[in-house]
Amino acid sequence: MCRVPGPTLADIARAAEVSHALNGTGRVGDATRRRVRETATRLGYGTPGPPRTRTLGIAVTTFPAAWNYTDIAYFSRAVTAATSAAHARGYALITLPADRAADDAWHHLAVDGMLIMDSPRGDPMVRALRARGIPLVFDGAPGDPRPGDHWVDNDHESTVREVLDHLSASGARRVALQSGSGDEHYARAVTAAYERWCADHSTPPLVIPFDETDDEGHAFDPLLQDGEDGEGRVDAVYAAYDPGGRQLLAAAARHGLRVPDDLRVVCASEDPAYAETTPPVTTVTLAPDQMAHAAVAVLVALIEDDGTAPRGPVSIPAGLIVRASSATRPAQPA
């Protein structure tokens, strides 16, 4: 098989209108060096051949700022499960920091494949790794999907409908959603499913943006009191992010509302501590362990090109764990 030669350093230098940036000589500013590396990636310089490192990478690229995603129960469990799955297949796994805006490490990252979680639209890490030809698998649908992409995800439509139907069956009549304000697929999918359910039930949607710093749940205040328009307060909330359940419990306590008699609460979370709150909170598990194991299996199949990689997305069922916070309200005496 004849291999087409790749671009030379001179080709890269001409395309980027600089020299000495890739070989480390001369005085080159950081911005110029980054531009040269991006040009090299685009032209295919240094594209890896067959797997050599026996190493996989994992990263969360939802937000460009630095944050420790392993503090979040979902990501912590996913990283642990992905590590176990990689080791079982003879691969190491490295965890990359989240601050993708200030780091261009993906232009020379020495991995055989990459597992990317919650990739938003316009993700620069994805763009660079695609150009290098590194196999990618996404946890959650990618922001910029392409034909032939591989990802593992939950069925958010059916999950949201299961939660809302459960709350409706428990007696709730005005159900609000706390959802993310970011650009990741999860927030958009959950919000869209909630709005479709509301349309089917002829009820106006009430969406509260998630704020991780709002420990006391002040964002819920307008919904937990009767409105001036004559609309009553909400009697149930589905919080799509981990801290939302605690925020709702705090807000209910400030307003003198009883959970679940006055306010039913459901939260998407992997935190086992929700089983010990007062009252215990109903949670939705997005099954991060199964998601990670499935994603690593697909990624290794792509790397080793063994023909076992699925043709389309892999769906992992979520689960509703019902606890006291969403119990049916006792019937009132006649």
Side-chain angles (χ1 to χ4, degrees):
M1 177 175 171
C2 179
R3 182 177 178 84
V4 178
T8 66
L9 284 174
D11 296 329
I12 303 299
R14 282 193 295 270
E17 299 178 353
V18 296
S19 60
H20 306 303
L22 286 174
N23 60 17
T25 63
R27 296 182 180 180
V28 180
D30 289 341
T32 300
R33 191 178 303 277
R34 183 173 294 109
R35 178 163 58 87
V36 173
R37 286 175 174 170
E38 290 174 351
T39 302
T41 295
R42 175 169 51 82
L43 292 178
Y45 179 79
T47 299
R52 292 170 296 178
T53 68
R54 302 293 298 183
T55 300
L56 310 178
I58 187 170
V60 179
T61 59
T62 309
F63 303 106
W67 61 293
N68 187 4
Y69 54 85
T70 59
D71 284 343
I72 306 299
Y74 178 91
F75 295 119
S76 176
R77 287 179 55 179
V79 169
T80 299
T83 302
S84 174
H87 290 179
R89 291 166 173 78
Y91 285 80
L93 184 136
I94 60 172
T95 306
L96 274 69
D99 192 4
R100 56 181 172 80
D103 188 2
D104 62 353
W106 50 81
H107 289 288
H108 50 79
L109 186 64
V111 295
D112 296 338
M114 193 76 191
L115 172 56
I116 302 180
M117 308 176 74
D118 282 356
S119 176
R121 287 177 283 203
D123 192 337
M125 176 182 281
V126 170
R127 188 167 55 249
L129 294 178
R130 286 191 197 277
R132 292 178 58 193
I134 292 179
L136 306 178
V137 173
F138 299 90
D139 179 310
D144 301 311
R146 292 184 180 181
D149 275 351
H150 294 79
W151 66 83
V152 179
D153 203 359
N154 309 109
D155 183 345
H156 298 296
E157 182 75 24
S158 64
T159 301
V160 171
R161 286 186 173 271
E162 182 182 7
V163 170
L164 300 177
D165 288 344
H166 163 71
L167 289 170
S168 179
S170 75
R173 294 296 174 261
R174 295 195 74 208
V175 183
L177 172 72
Q178 183 196 42
S179 186
S181 56
D183 192 37
E184 74 273 19
H185 169 75
Y186 174 70
R188 291 184 281 116
V190 168
T191 302
Y194 166 76
E195 291 174 343
R196 283 189 289 268
W197 184 91
C198 288
D200 291 345
H201 290 76
S202 300
T203 182
L206 299 167
V207 181
I208 298 297
F210 169 63
D211 180 359
E212 64 179 330
T213 65
D214 185 17
D215 293 340
E216 296 300 314
H218 290 289
F220 296 105
D221 289 349
L223 301 182
L224 299 183
Q225 52 196 355
D226 291 337
E228 296 179 357
D229 57 0
E231 292 285 349
R233 60 173 177 78
V234 302
D235 53 7
V237 180
Y238 176 34
Y241 286 81
D242 190 297
R246 291 185 176 81
Q247 294 174 352
L248 279 163
L249 293 180
R254 285 189 294 102
H255 286 269
L257 300 176
R258 298 167 299 169
V259 177
D261 292 353
D262 302 317
L263 179 69
R264 296 160 189 78
V265 175
V266 178
C267 178
S269 175
E270 312 302 329
D271 188 350
Y274 273 121
E276 307 296 331
T277 54
T278 305
V281 172
T282 296
T283 56
V284 172
T285 174
L286 300 178
D289 307 79
Q290 294 94 318
M291 293 271 286
H293 275 280
V296 169
V298 174
L299 185 57
V300 171
L302 291 174
I303 293 168
E304 298 181 354
D305 194 20
D306 60 6
T308 63
R311 291 185 178 274
V314 176
S315 182
I316 302 296
L320 179 63
I321 304 172
V322 178
R323 300 190 179 103
S325 70
S326 63
T328 302
R329 182 166 54 191
Q332 298 297 319

